[in-house]
Amino acid sequence: MSRIRDPIDSIIAGLGKKPDASEQAANRAVIELKKAWVAERMAPTVLPYAGDTLETVMSQIRGLIEFVEEKSLLLHEGDITSSGQDGENIKLQLLVVETELERAKFVARGYLRARLAKIDQSAIYWSTQTPLDTPLSPKEQEYLQRRLIIKEKLYDSSFLLSLHSDLQNLNDTDGAVSMVDEPDLDKPVAIKVTKPGLDPVVCGNDTVLLEHGGLYMLRYSAIAGLPVDIV
Amino acid sequence: MYGVLADKLVQDARRTANLETLPLYPTDLVRAVVRETQDQYQRALAYHDSTDGLSSQDRVAMCALFVAQLCVRRNKRCLLAHENLRASRLDQAVWAEQELSAETMSNLSAPEQVYLREYTELVSDYKGEWTEVDLTGSLDPPKEIYVEVRVLQDAGEVQTEYGVFNLTKDSQFFVRQADVQRLIQQGFVQLI
């Protein structure tokens, strides 16, 4: 009986324990990143890069990977038989930690991929932003530059070079249709207001009062830059 | 009639969008559209010269110039749209880490093959900055760490963190999902 109870007791004991400051910061970071990921998925434009949060999550991920490796090594070395109580204990810990690890990895991956998808979508537009205005991280800018070069090369060698030199541009904005695809800032987004006392925003012909904690569906252009969560 | 060739190209793109794999690159069609575009552009230039800019009152020539210009623009747009669709299909394959079959590879034009190689390089470089999170991994939220998989084709031995297992057709394994993600994407095993 005690063999079965012990691991459960230790988990229950662990529940009551207050996580220390660094653990709290790490937990917050994953939640923050998850928020940033959701916002990134919903917003029509690329949002400012959450570099610090991502870095915290990354160091947490590295910590978890280390933990998993250490514990698995213990199991493999055979000091602890995997069927014994310690072995069961470690296996349970591993299961919990690995689940957490996969989740953190998924959020980080989703965040980075969501940004890349939007960068690819309007590549020429993002490349025209000045370094001060761009929300892209240095790594993303490097990716964008290289991507534009290889794509231009594809168009050039496929047919553009056979056309008259006046027709070889990829960034014509005159004429009926602009060739530079810009993010549609008028896309509607669902938002939650996170600060009290905001000025009313103008959306189309209407003025909307933003109440603290309220949920609204507005055009992105009306609320860009306000302290809101995009949900 | 002007524009018919480019229309064929658009039809080809529409068909491509519904196909599993990329069809043969329509070299002749693209070349024909390019030729037509060039002809039209020369015509437009000629009209432009003969009407001395836009000040002329000769409405027939103005109209001809306008139509030729529209035709040129439309052709170029069709060419770009067609190539862009094919390129985005290649992008998808790169991100999903799918090996293109020899048949699909032979359907690509030479510039497309270069593009595929260079983009694969770029993605793996960018991925290298984030080795921990495995950027090309699954974009579905993880549900289980351990999953039951069935082997679909013989693939010899596979080394994972927890040892080696032998992929023989129709055998089943209970393994960590992260370890077999690659094999699932490549179609060697399937989730049960």
Side-chain angles (χ1 to χ4, degrees):
Chain A
M1 186 67 193
S2 72
R3 275 194 57 193
I4 304 166
R5 277 205 62 86
D6 274 349
I8 299 171
D9 279 347
S10 70
I11 289 175
I12 293 171
L15 278 182
K17 197 186 82 180
K18 283 246 167 68
D20 58 38
S22 70
E23 270 176 50
Q24 270 180 343
N27 285 337
R28 259 205 315 275
V30 177
I31 294 169
E32 286 290 315
L33 188 64
K34 203 149 91 186
K35 267 189 191 170
W37 168 57
V38 172
E40 202 67 68
R41 289 284 302 252
M42 301 313 292
T45 181
V46 178
L47 300 172
Y49 183 59
D52 293 344
T53 314
L54 189 61
E55 208 29 67
T56 318
V57 173
M58 291 305 289
S59 65
Q60 192 191 4
I61 287 177
R62 282 188 281 269
L64 290 175
I65 291 177
E66 222 167 84
F67 179 88
V68 169
E69 277 171 2
E70 262 171 35
K71 294 288 178 183
S72 330
L73 215 60
L74 276 182
L75 275 185
H76 275 271
E77 276 171 351
D79 292 348
I80 300 162
T81 50
S82 56
S83 53
Q85 190 204 320
D86 286 346
E88 292 293 331
N89 232 337
I90 288 178
K91 275 185 181 168
L92 185 64
Q93 281 178 352
L94 272 178
L95 202 68
V96 174
V97 171
E98 280 183 37
T99 310
E100 184 56 33
L101 177 62
E102 287 302 317
R103 284 181 186 156
K105 275 162 75 171
F106 168 72
V107 174
R109 183 192 308 147
Y111 178 70
L112 290 166
R113 289 286 299 271
R115 290 175 67 86
L116 278 189
K118 284 194 280 188
I119 293 169
D120 279 349
Q121 187 67 39
S122 318
I124 294 182
Y125 170 80
W126 291 115
S127 71
T128 56
Q129 305 284 301
T130 60
L132 279 177
D133 293 339
T134 185
L136 273 51
S137 74
K139 280 175 193 163
E140 284 165 345
Q141 288 179 38
E142 198 192 313
Y143 167 85
L144 175 63
Q145 293 308 331
R146 282 182 61 187
R147 172 164 184 79
L148 279 176
I149 290 170
I150 59 176
K151 202 142 190 199
E152 227 164 81
K153 204 164 112 191
L154 169 69
Y155 291 138
D156 277 350
S157 45
S158 292
F159 48 81
L160 276 187
L161 286 182
S162 334
L163 294 178
H164 193 276
S165 57
D166 290 354
L167 296 172
Q168 286 177 6
N169 285 340
L170 280 175
N171 54 359
D172 285 340
T173 45
D174 54 345
V177 191
S178 165
M179 289 179 74
V180 181
D181 217 354
E182 288 180 25
D184 174 18
L185 294 182
D186 279 338
K187 202 185 117 182
V189 286
I191 56 156
K192 184 175 188 203
V193 182
T194 53
K195 285 245 171 66
L198 289 183
D199 292 334
V201 293
V202 180
C203 186
N205 294 326
D206 298 316
T207 308
V208 184
L209 212 61
L210 296 179
E211 273 178 50
H212 183 207
L215 287 167
Y216 300 88
M217 188 90 180
L218 292 172
R219 299 209 181 276
Y220 179 78
S221 50
I223 52 93
L226 289 180
V228 292
D229 280 345
I230 300 172
V231 287
Chain B
M1 211 163 74
Y2 302 130
V4 171
L5 288 172
D7 199 48
K8 271 192 198 154
L9 206 55
V10 175
Q11 296 293 346
D12 184 79
R14 181 179 295 164
R15 193 171 67 95
T16 306
N18 293 323
L19 288 178
E20 289 273 310
T21 54
L22 279 178
L24 186 64
Y25 184 77
T27 318
D28 292 340
L29 190 55
V30 169
R31 212 170 283 158
V33 176
V34 167
R35 209 177 305 128
E36 188 190 272
T37 315
Q38 277 298 71
D39 289 350
Q40 287 297 310
Y41 195 69
Q42 293 306 332
R43 261 179 44 143
L45 283 181
Y47 277 124
H48 198 267
D49 290 344
S50 68
T51 54
D52 190 18
L54 297 172
S55 58
S56 167
Q57 295 298 309
D58 184 355
R59 306 199 43 156
V60 177
M62 288 293 284
C63 182
L65 172 63
F66 183 62
V67 170
Q69 275 284 11
L70 277 185
C71 184
V72 166
R73 279 176 193 277
R74 180 172 178 278
N75 276 358
K76 181 181 170 189
R77 218 178 147 71
C78 292
L79 284 168
L80 284 170
H82 176 259
E83 192 54 66
N84 190 38
L85 181 85
R86 289 178 67 93
S88 65
R89 287 291 284 271
L90 295 178
D91 293 355
Q92 277 173 21
V94 171
W95 279 107
E97 296 202 315
Q98 281 167 348
E99 284 279 323
L100 292 183
S101 65
E103 197 195 335
T104 314
M105 279 306 272
S106 63
N107 281 347
L108 303 182
S109 70
E112 280 173 344
Q113 291 184 6
V114 174
Y115 172 78
L116 180 67
R117 200 178 55 237
E118 289 182 336
Y119 191 57
T120 309
E121 229 168 75
L122 171 57
V123 167
S124 73
D125 279 357
Y126 186 76
K127 218 180 92 165
E129 312 262 5
W130 305 97
T131 41
E132 293 92 347
V133 292
D134 183 19
L135 276 185
T136 47
S138 167
L139 288 181
D140 293 328
K143 288 210 174 69
E144 318 258 4
I145 315 175
Y146 291 94
V147 287
E148 187 97 39
V149 293
R150 182 176 297 140
V151 181
L152 296 177
Q153 34 179 308
D154 289 319
E157 286 187 349
V158 172
Q159 178 82 40
T160 71
E161 243 173 89
Y162 294 95
V164 181
F165 62 101
N166 211 342
L167 292 184
T168 30
K169 195 167 182 294
D170 295 330
S171 53
Q172 274 176 225
F173 292 100
F174 189 63
V175 285
R176 283 181 65 209
Q177 184 159 10
D179 286 344
V180 293
Q181 193 60 42
R182 210 51 359 109
L183 297 170
I184 297 174
Q185 282 173 347
Q186 289 166 352
F188 282 114
V189 302
Q190 75 174 34
L191 288 176
I192 307 178

